Amino acid sequence: MKYVDEFRDPNAVHVLSREIHRITRHPWTIMEVCGGQTHSIVRYGLDRLLPPAITLIHGPGCPVCVTPIELIDAACQLASLPEVIFCSFGDMLRVPGSHEDLLRVKAQGGDIRIIYSPLDAVGIAQSNPQSQIICFAVGFETTAPAQAMAVLQARRLHLSNFSLLVAHVLVPPAMKAILSSPENRVQGFLAAGHVCSVMGYEMYEPICLRYRVPIVVTGFEPVDILEGVQLVIAQLEEGRHKVDNQYARSVHRSGNLEARKVVDEVFESASRNWRGIGEIPESGLQLRQTFAEFDALRTFQDRIHLSSPANDLESECQSGRILQGIMQPSACSAFGTRCTPDHPLGAPMVSSEGACAAYYRYRHHEVGPGEQ
Amino acid sequence: MCLAIPGQIQRIDDDALRQGTVSFAGVTKEVCLALVPEAEVGDYVIVHVGFAISKVDEQAAKESLSLIEQLSSGQINESPSS
Ligand code: SF4
């Protein structure tokens, strides 16, 4: 496939790996923010092509994993209402809530539909005027324009039976939270390419300056990731800290202005609770007042009981430590035994972009539970 | 769910959503192209949850690959001494 195969070329991978070995003089710890990148790294064994001095740690960039448990609970309650058709991306169905998951609600008769695009949910609203259609709006900046377009389309069609359960999260505030933590080990970042395709990378420039870390906007194929790592190491070895753009074929400095415009029209930033991590100021999106009629939590406020931000930090699942790069999945005592993709204890084992699922899928045969 | 992949535009409708057909190595999908107003039939776009979020910049892709080629040939020249 064009623009995929050439960025998986084993020769280019080899050349970049050699170049990284050549320039590395000191130990460095680099975080890839996005779960899609984590997946590529584990799948292709890219971490094993690096000098032992380089540690890659996996970041919080899986929206499925960080959606707070109280919103999963709200989703389950909404999906159980008889008049509701609940629309969601497939990954969300098996994420455990406090008592149940969406898959169980579906088995008990809840009308839950797996969608590919948020516009599919608008289509369902058009053809089912007697039902209330709720779309579970989960994702980072990459997905926000699609949800915003669905809301604008619903307004254009004068639909009064369409709303969003908004769980959107934003990347830069999470990076700042990681860098401000006393446990922080991250010295450089690979920024998530597709988030930047939408938002650009201007907003990372002040983070580089303030925390003195290099940030390299990076794509998702093996060649992209190794080139991103090489650019971060080059900066670290030279004592520089600025934003580089490895993924120029899809990312401009200001991002996609058209997409940013629709997101800004429909959403505004708000504080958000991240599962396993806690509340991060201004790290989420909510509907603007002018679009309040599309807010499922407002429309159904009398029908559901919204639990207060749940404390899931006590369970055996170490997702918070995994998502902040403090711990590797295979170091979790439940990994591969009590927690597997068939019986996940935590969201990082459910989502295809979750770090635990990636390790289970590609490395489970190598590492016994609890070993690392 | 964060997956976004490149595909080639085959058809664009003239409606508000700029719906079109995008081919991913032969598999086609209906995609909203409203967020990439500059993209035309034949262009490659990055598609995420049914929306094109950017047009692939052919020039930038070539440059990035030729950088690696230079690195590769440079290393071959260097290798006897290293
Ligand atoms: S292996 Fe399972 S229980 Fe352990 S951190 Fe990952 S998701 Fe949580």
Side-chain angles (χ1 to χ4, degrees), chain A residues 315-322 327-340 343-350 355-357:
Chain A
S315 92
E316 182 176 17
C317 176
Q318 303 282 327
S319 70
R321 296 174 66 74
I322 305 275
M327 189 175 147
Q328 295 280 39
S330 40
C332 170
S333 57
F335 177 82
T337 52
R338 287 178 299 289
C339 182
T340 64
H343 297 281
L345 288 184
M349 190 57 98
V350 175
C356 299

Side-chain angles (χ1 to χ4, degrees), chain A residues 53-90:
Chain A
I54 302 300
T55 308
L56 287 188
I57 54 178
H58 316 308
C62 163
V64 177
C65 302
V66 301
T67 299
I69 199 162
E70 63 272 17
L71 282 179
I72 304 287
D73 291 346
C76 290
Q77 291 177 58
L78 289 168
S80 307
L81 296 174
E83 73 271 35
V84 165
I85 299 176
F86 193 84
C87 300
S88 172
F89 298 125

Side-chain angles (χ1 to χ4, degrees), chain B residues 14-64:
Chain B
D14 203 12
D15 62 1
L17 285 174
R18 268 190 117 223
Q19 288 286 354
T21 313
V22 173
S23 165
F24 305 93
V27 180
T28 58
K29 265 198 150 65
E30 280 294 290
V31 168
C32 170
L33 297 161
L35 302 176
V36 286
E38 74 283 15
E40 294 163 9
V41 169
D43 286 341
Y44 278 79
V45 285
I46 304 275
V47 176
H48 172 68
V49 298
F51 286 77
I53 54 168
S54 70
K55 184 181 133 174
V56 178
D57 182 333
E58 205 142 335
Q59 194 53 38
K62 275 194 198 134
E63 276 166 28
S64 133

